[in-house]
Amino acid sequence: MEVVVLSEEFLGFSKAEYLSDPNKEKMLRASLRSNVEKMLDPKRIVILDSMNYIKGFRYELYCLVRSSQTTLCVVFCDTEPEVALKFC
């Protein structure tokens, strides 16, 4: 089975630049959603490695997955702020 990992970096976006401007952040989410939609397939595992703190965005992704008749799993990683900052 094919595995695809999508993230801001994979799509060529800078988190720092896009998350500081609400309009750019909206464009970023739209791009992530669009790419997830393109990749959804029952024979493919799609991992979206991104912040999903916006309930509406999570729901959009949930609806996409349900309409493609695939399975959904959400993983929450509880990381100490000092450790998380090393990845920024």
Side-chain angles (χ1 to χ4, degrees):
M1 185 171 282
E2 180 185 6
V3 177
V4 176
V5 179
L6 297 174
S7 66
E8 290 88 349
E9 292 81 14
F10 176 81
L11 298 175
F13 292 103
S14 163
K15 278 186 188 180
E17 177 185 347
Y18 280 81
L19 296 179
S20 64
D21 180 349
N23 291 324
K24 287 184 178 181
E25 183 179 359
K26 188 175 180 179
M27 288 180 3
L28 173 63
R29 285 194 313 273
S31 180
L32 288 168
R33 181 189 184 281
S34 172
N35 280 279
V36 167
E37 187 173 19
K38 290 177 196 172
M39 294 293 171
L40 283 177
D41 185 288
K43 297 179 182 174
R44 182 181 298 135
I45 296 173
V46 179
I47 299 172
L48 176 58
D49 182 11
S50 177
M51 297 190 311
N52 62 359
Y53 58 94
I54 298 174
K55 185 178 179 180
F57 183 55
R58 288 194 310 270
Y59 185 69
E60 284 181 48
L61 294 172
Y62 169 81
C63 291
L64 277 178
V65 171
R66 298 305 291 169
S67 69
S68 69
Q69 299 178 352
T70 59
T71 305
L72 168 74
C73 175
V74 176
V75 178
F76 172 74
C77 300
D78 189 15
T79 307
E80 295 295 324
E82 298 79 28
V83 174
L85 285 172
K86 292 179 183 178
F87 294 103
C88 291

